[in-house]
Amino acid sequence: KVLAGFYNDPEFANVDSSENESILPFKGTILRTKSGKISSPVEEPCVSCTTFNILAPIYKRLDQQNQSVRESDFRAFWLARNERIVDWLLYESSSIICLQEFWVGNEELVHMFEERLSAAGYKTFKLARTNNRGDGLLTAIHQDYFKVLNYRELLFNDCGDRVAQLLHVKSVVPFSINQNNCIEQEILIVNTHLLFPHDSSLSIARLHQVYQILLYLETYQQENKLTQMPVILCGDWNGSKRGHVYKFLRSQGFVSSYDIAHECSDSEADADKWISHRNHRGNICGVDFIWLRNPNKSRKPLKISWAEAAFGIIKFQLQKASLAENDAFAFLRADNSVDHITYSAFCDALRQVNLTGLSYGLSFQDTKDLWVQADFDGNGVLDYEEFKRIWNSTWSDHMDEDCSSDDSNEGNEEETVGFTVKNAALFPREVEKGIWPENYSLSDHARLTAVFSPVRLRCPRRSP
């Protein structure tokens, strides 16, 4: 329901006027077009999802001259701001809400969120970061739309104490896949907040976190003998469209819902079309995503994608050290008297560029797996041709294909339900044009909401 007197509230009008002027309700049956006009109600049921890093009061700085002054020291400030956040969330009434930097360490704030969301029909799940960091995640599922079948927690135990939530849900209202068949569609939902890239060497840790999420998703589906289903990944990814995590997820069949809705490509020209965060350094960037992968999406084997992504980081670190292809081969070779790279030289080179030997770097097993992928002929060394395969590997293969285009699967297909991106919007709306409004104070992140509608898909039968 719409909050009574919402536009007349002076607190909203003065503090967050940039949002008030362009509010997008996303009520499931009411949508705005790209021009901002209300479109006609849609007939099919819609699923809406909101992701929002709400800036934990323990991190919100109130005085730039004195960084130790935090909002958490002033109850009136953090309580008022978080009550406004809940007001907006309830106004939008998304089917799925994924919050990051939720202040799990404050019982009053936790109780306020849980009580108000519960009263509005949501079932909530919270998860604190490891090592008592104080903040964490909260995921809320509206029970009018979904029944929660299972809930799992992923603890990465890395240098950033990051965590993730996995929810396996089933639609309450059946989706129609043909005139005679309706199904209660199941979906896998993940909420996470990746490590901040304080240093470029942390790229491998962030990539590893995403790899662990996708590996867990695969394992979960196999262990529970689940058929194919859509996957939605939400959160603050602390990396832009130029980053290794973005490319890794694309290689695994995921699409950015906002980019699909606004026809933004993976090209460099579209990399900075929108922003969603002004970080503590004052930089603005687009780091908040709602990723969608439909069950018919073609993708490379996970281990191969992981190896390509890791090699991409290795290449980046070598190029950062001003090494061109020939120089990089010589660096990895170490001993100029041989014309190949040995495993020991490979390990030593990774250590020199800070990708191993640190708590957040590649593990011994990771390094061994990468070596196996690189040693294409299995002779125990890498020659120049094998090195070039690593250096010149491309991300474009299979990034936009789907299984329905493969004629070889004809006769061995099944019908299932996936989602099409109906619309998506960032709030405040100025960030969609790359502008961070100075009068926005809800968070240092924009709120991202996407609307999906069910679509019938054909894809090959696979063993769970």
Side-chain angles (χ1 to χ4, degrees):
K1 62 182 180 179
V2 179
L3 297 173
F6 199 75
Y7 291 105
N8 297 321
D9 188 329
E11 185 174 26
F12 283 96
N14 294 333
V15 177
D16 293 313
S17 58
S18 60
E19 284 205 43
N20 294 341
E21 294 170 1
S22 54
I23 189 166
L24 182 101
F26 279 145
K27 291 291 185 177
T29 56
I30 300 176
L31 301 173
R32 286 185 188 268
T33 63
K34 291 174 187 175
S35 65
K37 295 180 180 179
I38 297 290
S39 66
S40 58
V42 294
E43 294 180 359
E44 73 273 19
C46 286
V47 172
S48 54
C49 181
T50 293
T51 186
F52 193 16
N53 180 323
I54 59 175
L55 181 55
I58 52 177
Y59 303 136
K60 183 173 172 60
R61 299 168 175 85
L62 297 183
D63 185 351
Q64 295 303 315
Q65 304 304 315
N66 185 355
Q67 297 284 308
S68 64
V69 179
R70 302 294 173 98
E71 186 189 55
S72 52
D73 297 324
F74 302 91
R75 177 181 177 275
F77 288 5
W78 61 253
L79 185 58
R81 180 171 68 89
N82 279 275
E83 284 180 335
R84 295 203 310 274
I85 288 171
V86 178
D87 288 342
W88 280 108
L89 294 173
L90 295 182
Y91 180 84
E92 284 185 346
S93 300
S94 287
S95 322
I96 304 160
I97 297 173
C98 295
L99 305 181
Q100 304 84 44
E101 286 198 28
F102 179 63
W103 193 15
V104 295
N106 184 283
E107 291 184 5
E108 183 180 5
L109 182 139
V110 170
H111 177 73
M112 185 268 289
F113 269 83
E114 291 182 335
E115 183 177 55
R116 293 192 62 189
L117 289 171
S118 176
Y122 288 92
K123 187 170 185 178
T124 61
F125 302 83
K126 66 179 186 292
L127 175 61
R129 287 170 60 191
T130 52
N131 286 326
N132 232 4
R133 289 293 187 123
D135 69 304
L137 307 170
L138 182 137
T139 301
I141 305 295
H142 203 295
Q143 296 177 94
D144 286 350
Y145 295 91
F146 293 110
K147 175 184 178 183
V148 178
L149 302 179
N150 207 344
Y151 168 72
R152 298 287 180 85
E153 299 177 348
L154 286 71
L155 311 179
F156 297 128
N157 295 313
D158 58 14
C159 63
D161 293 306
R162 301 295 167 165
V163 295
Q165 296 172 296
L166 168 65
L167 290 93
H168 178 191
V169 304
K170 181 169 68 173
S171 61
V172 172
V173 178
F175 294 153
S176 173
I177 61 173
N178 56 46
Q179 290 182 345
N180 303 314
N181 192 8
C182 292
I183 64 170
E184 295 175 323
Q185 178 62 31
E186 296 181 24
I187 307 169
L188 293 176
I189 302 163
V190 172
N191 181 16
T192 195
H193 181 188
L194 296 190
L195 183 67
F196 185 84
H198 293 282
D199 184 274
S200 62
S201 62
L202 291 174
S203 294
I204 202 70
R206 300 175 60 257
L207 185 68
H208 204 275
Q209 290 165 355
V210 181
Y211 175 63
Q212 291 299 318
I213 289 173
L214 300 191
L215 186 61
Y216 192 87
L217 281 168
E218 277 194 0
T219 303
Y220 178 82
Q221 288 184 270
Q222 290 167 0
E223 289 179 348
N224 292 278
K225 297 181 172 57
L226 299 177
T227 57
Q228 300 176 73
M229 62 185 66
V231 178
I232 296 175
L233 306 182
C234 299
D236 173 5
W237 300 86
N238 262 324
S240 72
K241 293 177 65 174
R242 293 188 176 91
H244 301 285
V245 165
Y246 180 92
K247 295 172 183 176
F248 178 48
L249 285 167
R250 292 289 286 117
S251 75
Q252 280 295 295
F254 286 94
V255 296
S256 160
S257 57
Y258 183 86
D259 290 314
I260 291 294
H262 295 266
E263 300 177 354
C264 297
S265 70
D266 290 333
S267 69
E268 180 68 21
D270 286 350
D272 297 316
K273 272 195 170 180
W274 55 272
I275 60 173
S276 66
H277 178 39
R278 181 166 67 179
N279 65 29
H280 59 281
R281 297 171 178 170
N283 302 322
I284 56 175
C285 43
V287 300
D288 298 273
F289 291 88
I290 297 175
W291 293 94
L292 169 68
R293 185 174 72 192
N294 274 321
N296 70 330
K297 203 67 176 176
S298 175
R299 58 187 183 273
K300 294 182 180 181
L302 181 56
K303 186 164 280 192
I304 291 177
S305 276
W306 152 251
E308 288 185 348
F311 283 128
I313 292 176
I314 293 170
K315 178 179 178 179
F316 175 81
Q317 291 295 94
L318 293 175
Q319 288 179 323
K320 197 171 122 181
S322 300
L323 294 176
E325 183 178 312
N326 289 336
D327 298 327
F329 181 70
F331 174 74
L332 290 168
R333 192 177 59 189
D335 184 358
N336 291 324
S337 64
V338 296
D339 61 356
H340 55 253
I341 303 166
T342 64
Y343 179 64
S344 60
F346 179 70
C347 293
D348 187 56
L350 295 188
R351 189 161 46 250
Q352 290 186 58
V353 293
N354 295 322
L355 293 178
T356 62
L358 301 171
S359 60
Y360 51 81
L362 292 165
S363 68
F364 171 80
Q365 189 59 52
D366 291 334
T367 307
K368 194 71 177 175
D369 289 344
L370 288 177
W371 177 260
V372 170
Q373 293 284 343
D375 184 13
F376 190 69
D377 60 14
N379 67 349
V381 296
L382 302 185
D383 58 29
Y384 189 65
E385 289 303 313
E386 288 173 316
F387 165 76
K388 283 202 301 184
R389 283 182 72 248
I390 299 170
W391 193 260
N392 298 318
S393 63
T394 176
W395 294 103
S396 61
D397 297 343
H398 307 295
M399 281 173 59
D400 290 304
E401 295 177 3
D402 59 61
C403 301
S404 60
S405 62
D406 186 356
D407 293 336
S408 63
N409 291 316
E410 192 172 349
N412 190 31
E413 293 180 329
E414 61 182 339
E415 279 193 342
T416 186
V417 170
F419 290 114
T420 183
V421 180
K422 197 75 177 175
N423 211 334
L426 285 156
F427 306 91
R429 296 301 290 272
E430 289 91 335
V431 301
E432 296 188 329
K433 300 176 182 177
I435 301 168
W436 190 266
E438 294 300 325
N439 62 341
Y440 173 68
S441 63
L442 277 190
S443 176
D444 59 354
H445 282 257
R447 189 171 73 257
L448 171 61
T449 296
V451 176
F452 306 102
S453 59
V455 60
R456 185 173 61 184
L457 301 173
R458 297 191 66 83
C459 55
R461 296 182 189 276
R462 294 177 186 169
S463 300

